[in-house]
Amino acid sequence: MASVPSLASTVQQRLAEGLSAALPEAGSADPLLRRSDRADFQANGILALAKQLKGNPRELATKVVESIPANDVLKEIEVSGPGFLNITVSDAAIVETLAARAADARLGVPLNEAAGTTVIDYAQPNVAKEMHVGHLRSAVIGAAMVEILEFTGETVVRRHHIGDWGTQFGMLIQYLIEHPHELDHKDEGAEVSGEEAMSNLNRLYKASRALFDADEEFKTRARARVVDLQAGDEETLALWQRFVDESKIYFYSVFEKLDMDVRDPDIVGESGYNDMLQETCRILEESGVAVRSEGALCVFFDDIKGPDGNPVPLIVQKSDGGFGYAATDLSAIRDRVQNLKATSLLYVVDARQSLHFKMVFETARRAGWLNDEVKAVQLAFGTVLGKDGKPFKTREGETVRLVDLLDEAIDRASAVVREKAQDLTEEEIAERGAQVGIGAVKYADLSTSAARDYKFDLDQMVSLNGDTSVYLQYAYARIQSILRKAGDAKPAARPELELAPSERALGLHLDGFGETIAETAAEYAPHKLAAYLYQLASLYTTFYSECPVLKAGTPEQVENRLFLCDLTARTLHQGMALLGIRTPERL
């Protein structure tokens, strides 16, 4: 089905036609329409136009209003102040537009079939290391952007750029060679849990680190093992692969708990670009983008200097021949643009790495890998803070394990569900507890602008009041309960009925869903979708308290209010799904 024009776009078109008819000399001027507290919409474009035409804005506004023929969409247009137009649409237009949205499986949101290909780099854990609270935001924000962009028609390629290469692997592999049973599992052949996999890796990492720090001979052997790894020695690579596989068991268990879909082909770590590093350096050096400085291959920038005033370069290759993160990141850009045919690269990475990515993107532009057809954007995110407003740590000052955090959220949410549950079994309480707890964690993250830090406060997150996912989930479950109780009455749009103020407010907001999705996708701003959904649930709560649904005055009014309930539920369900949050039918 073709996308459904929103009321805003219909009003915009009628005003533009009125402008052209009244003021042909203005050409195709923009009425500058926006939603308003004073009416349904406000148009401010005539002020700028009056300046341009050297006319009186109020007189021009009156002329425009007079040239708009009577129609079934615009109920009233009032000229206000120095020349604003306050526009009220008809009740019938609201209901008819919503009926068209409801008839579409996509709720009227346009699908852009000419969209490009975006590679999203997110959820970047490190092999042989535990995931902590710092990994949460990249995973949650990245997964939401995957869903949102795919929904608008973009082809999305997921990339989990895991840390699976580097000097620490020499230490780990050498220790495993000398202690061959450290990665063995208690029950060979049985399915291994993420906890057991991580427990083995943790123990091995600590033991190898202790030996590396204490024993010079082991340190020498470990460094020699790094050389073997980089040279592609078969035995060394096979042991390295064991670490990667063991880590994936653990990663997948955490991602599953986060209700995230992570697939094997999407995981292309630092090691995936090893074969490209030499060529990347050669291209940069031969093209003059990078130059040798004190033996290292560097890229310099006029606007990036250190505290001493000297230029801070991007080091692509170290003076000892080793490669840093820059070489890998630039090779990844080459691969994503040339092989994956990306038109956009989106990096969901901590704001503290902004300078690194600024330098990498500028280098890629100079090399011609990024240009007017291919853009790269860092969706930079802030830090997760504790209730005290400081970076989130345990009482002992350790970084908080992500699994512990998620388990606690599920426990808290299960307690809330149990308290409210009337007819749920223990199994259903556990299932809902997971959906509510993980939803609460995701929503707290996504409802904050990514660039800002936010406080991780579980008490607030699982609250039934305020801007929380639990509030939205309960609004959805409440509507499902009403629809179940409706009996023979079915949702049906009734454009002939007059709407109460809270029905109008809810209807107008429902109509803005498509515009919100478009804005969220264009700006990579999932918090805008979260804000829209919270306002939708709030407007529904007001409607529910002011307008009896099943006990409305007439059968037609019952049908129309059931229609508003049903479309609200579908919009909440679709919007929450795009944020990666479940909407249980019963809570």
Side-chain angles (χ1 to χ4, degrees), residues 161 164-168 226-227 229-232 270-285 290 292 295-298 314-332 334 356 360 369:
H161 189 87
D164 65 352
W165 206 247
T167 51
Q168 77 271 23
V226 176
V227 177
L229 178 64
Q230 290 173 339
E270 294 166 7
S271 63
Y273 306 101
N274 284 343
D275 294 346
M276 299 176 70
L277 301 179
Q278 290 284 6
E279 192 184 5
T280 296
C281 290
R282 181 184 60 74
I283 293 169
L284 291 173
E285 191 167 12
R292 292 282 165 189
L297 186 62
C298 302
L314 181 72
I315 299 173
V316 185
Q317 189 176 24
K318 300 169 195 170
S319 53
D320 63 3
F323 300 101
Y325 291 125
T328 307
D329 288 335
L330 288 162
S331 298
R334 278 180 58 215
H356 169 77
V360 165
W369 304 324

Side-chain angles (χ1 to χ4, degrees), residues 253-453:
S253 73
V254 179
F255 289 132
E256 193 177 338
K257 190 163 282 196
L258 264 172
D259 199 11
M260 268 177 59
D261 179 23
V262 174
R263 305 169 201 150
D264 235 34
D266 306 334
I267 294 181
V268 182
E270 294 166 7
S271 63
Y273 306 101
N274 284 343
D275 294 346
M276 299 176 70
L277 301 179
Q278 290 284 6
E279 192 184 5
T280 296
C281 290
R282 181 184 60 74
I283 293 169
L284 291 173
E285 191 167 12
E286 286 180 2
S287 62
V289 171
V291 294
R292 292 282 165 189
S293 175
E294 296 176 26
L297 186 62
C298 302
V299 182
F300 289 92
F301 311 87
D302 292 339
D303 59 338
I304 301 174
K305 294 184 169 63
D308 56 3
N310 291 328
V312 175
L314 181 72
I315 299 173
V316 185
Q317 189 176 24
K318 300 169 195 170
S319 53
D320 63 3
F323 300 101
Y325 291 125
T328 307
D329 288 335
L330 288 162
S331 298
I333 289 176
R334 278 180 58 215
D335 175 61
R336 293 166 184 185
V337 173
Q338 292 164 6
N339 299 329
L340 300 178
K341 308 298 180 198
T343 48
S344 299
L345 305 177
L346 184 62
Y347 291 78
V348 188
V349 184
D350 191 314
R352 287 171 291 194
Q353 294 189 47
S354 294
L355 180 60
H356 169 77
F357 279 100
K358 180 184 176 185
M359 294 161 91
V360 165
F361 295 163
E362 177 56 29
T363 300
R365 267 189 286 275
R366 291 179 188 178
W369 304 324
L370 298 176
N371 48 46
D372 292 344
E373 278 74 52
V374 188
K375 65 172 180 177
V377 177
Q378 182 193 357
L379 204 178
F381 56 82
T383 306
V384 181
L385 308 174
K387 281 188 189 180
D388 58 2
K390 295 175 182 168
F392 203 6
K393 302 277 185 193
T394 63
R395 282 183 185 154
E396 296 73 37
E398 299 286 315
T399 305
V400 180
R401 295 170 72 224
L402 185 50
V403 171
D404 293 343
L405 209 63
L406 300 179
D407 285 342
E408 193 182 343
I410 292 168
D411 288 347
R412 296 276 191 97
S414 299
V416 172
V417 172
R418 180 175 278 106
E419 192 184 310
K420 288 279 176 185
Q422 287 159 9
D423 53 356
L424 297 181
T425 64
E426 277 302 310
E427 193 180 337
E428 286 171 326
I429 288 172
E431 183 193 358
R432 304 292 194 282
Q435 292 177 345
V436 172
I438 296 303
V441 169
K442 288 182 175 180
Y443 185 84
D445 194 318
L446 294 168
S447 59
T448 306
S449 167
R452 287 174 50 204
D453 300 342

